[in-house]
């Protein structure tokens, strides 16, 4: 996990295994208990991704500041924001819709990173590292959305 100092991601910090639940453990829907979004592993992963996107996009060309840099950063922030916002929705269907929007934002990030790599803005090593953050998030978001949808059926 990334360590944040003065509002900047500076290193790794261990949040502890087992402390944060994943989609298999969510209790928000079925038991009537509300689970805080900060307890979701997928939310923490999305935060990590956003920090990394901010870090690597600093090296993009200056002329991309209001183009690709802005777009990929907004999309990366949107992933964890949609998870958080959806968690406070009153219906499971609404919550699932926000998780689906997070999935869409994650795909947008991935697409923009592919383009950045093709344009030479993003070294292959950084691209591979970001892809290794994206892949598990795709699986977790999909599992979470399915769990929410099946609980509301």
């Amino acid at each position: 996990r990334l360590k944040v100092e003065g509002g900047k991601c500076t290193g790794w910090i261990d949040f502890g295994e087992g402390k944060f639940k994943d989609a298999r453990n969510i209790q928000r829907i079925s038991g009537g208990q509300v689970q805080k979004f900060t307890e979701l592993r997928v939310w923490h992963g999305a935060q990590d991704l956003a920090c990394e996107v901010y870090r690597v996009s600093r090296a993009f060309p200056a002329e991309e500041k209001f183009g690709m840099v802005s777009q990929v950063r907004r999309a990366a922030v949107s992933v964890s924001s949609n998870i958080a916002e959806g968690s406070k929705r009153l219906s499971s269907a609404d919550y699932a819709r926000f998780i689906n929007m997070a999935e869409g934002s994650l795909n947008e990030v991935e697409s923009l990173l592919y383009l950045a790599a093709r344009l030479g803005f993003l070294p292959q090593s950084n691209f591979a590292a970001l892809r290794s953050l994206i892949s598990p998030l795709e699986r977790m978001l999909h599992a979470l959305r399915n769990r929410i949808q099946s609980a509301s059926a």
Side-chain angles (χ1 to χ4, degrees):
R1 303 277 182 237
L2 291 173
K3 180 177 171 185
V4 178
E5 292 177 352
K8 295 184 180 183
C9 301
T10 59
W12 294 96
I13 187 168
D14 182 14
F15 286 110
E17 287 301 312
K19 183 175 179 184
F20 302 105
K21 298 172 174 69
D22 61 16
R24 291 180 304 264
N25 297 344
I26 189 150
Q27 298 172 351
R28 176 192 188 278
I29 307 103
S30 56
Q33 297 174 319
V34 176
Q35 182 176 32
K36 186 102 171 105
F37 67 88
T38 55
E39 295 175 354
L40 294 169
R41 186 179 302 147
V42 67
W43 179 83
H44 283 277
Q47 288 275 300
D48 291 349
L49 175 65
C51 285
E52 281 300 296
V53 164
Y54 266 77
R55 185 184 65 77
V56 301
S57 64
R58 274 183 259 176
F60 287 14
E63 65 265 17
E64 288 298 328
K65 181 178 182 180
F66 301 108
M68 187 176 291
V69 172
S70 176
Q71 186 68 24
V72 73
R73 286 179 173 184
R74 282 194 320 266
V77 167
S78 182
V79 178
S80 64
S81 296
N82 277 308
I83 295 166
E85 187 172 353
S87 72
K88 290 307 275 184
R89 294 297 166 156
L90 295 178
S91 73
S92 294
D94 229 10
Y95 188 14
R97 187 172 61 85
F98 274 86
I99 299 304
N100 185 241
M101 286 190 281
E103 289 175 300
S105 294
L106 186 61
N107 281 352
E108 181 180 3
V109 170
E110 184 175 18
S111 177
L112 288 164
L113 293 174
Y114 270 106
L115 182 57
R118 288 185 69 185
L119 293 170
F121 302 163
L122 185 63
Q124 187 58 40
S125 59
N126 287 348
F127 179 70
L130 288 163
R131 282 284 304 127
S132 73
L133 294 174
I134 290 170
S135 292
L137 289 175
E138 289 171 330
R139 289 188 299 274
M140 286 190 279
L141 285 168
H142 180 76
L144 179 57
R145 182 175 43 80
N146 283 343
R147 174 71 188 233
I148 293 165
Q149 288 173 328
S150 68
S152 67

